[in-house]
Amino acid sequence: MLRRGDRGAEVTELQLRLKQMWLYNDEINGQFNRRVEESLRNYQWSRGLQSELSVYGPETRARLEAETQEP
């Protein structure tokens, strides 16, 4: 599970997947910051994933991976 403040390759992958969905247009830097959180929340809200709002948990990950290509 990823949340604001986390860093690393998994966050980079999340940023790239959100970018594919046209939800994230900031720097790809591997930092889970406010912009990543906002983008993720918008994605989750649009997909009815309110149980994981603002965190990148297993349900959100599975859904986003199914809708995007591996970066």
Side-chain angles (χ1 to χ4, degrees), residues 49-66:
L49 298 168
Q50 283 84 3
S51 65
E52 291 185 348
L53 276 182
S54 301
V55 297
Y56 192 45
E59 189 177 351
T60 302
R61 181 185 297 262
R63 187 79 177 263
L64 186 58
E65 286 179 354

Side-chain angles (χ1 to χ4, degrees), residues 8-67:
E10 287 185 285
V11 178
T12 300
E13 181 179 331
L14 172 59
Q15 290 172 322
L16 290 167
R17 288 185 186 275
L18 290 170
K19 186 177 184 109
Q20 287 180 44
M21 301 295 295
W22 300 97
L23 293 168
Y24 181 77
N25 294 309
D26 273 357
E27 184 179 1
I28 305 298
N29 57 13
Q31 297 178 23
F32 197 130
N33 57 25
R34 183 183 55 81
R35 278 292 296 129
V36 174
E37 184 179 57
E38 289 171 357
S39 300
L40 181 62
R41 193 173 31 232
N42 287 335
Y43 173 77
Q44 291 167 321
W45 190 259
S46 71
R47 299 305 188 274
L49 298 168
Q50 283 84 3
S51 65
E52 291 185 348
L53 276 182
S54 301
V55 297
Y56 192 45
E59 189 177 351
T60 302
R61 181 185 297 262
R63 187 79 177 263
L64 186 58
E65 286 179 354
E67 293 184 48

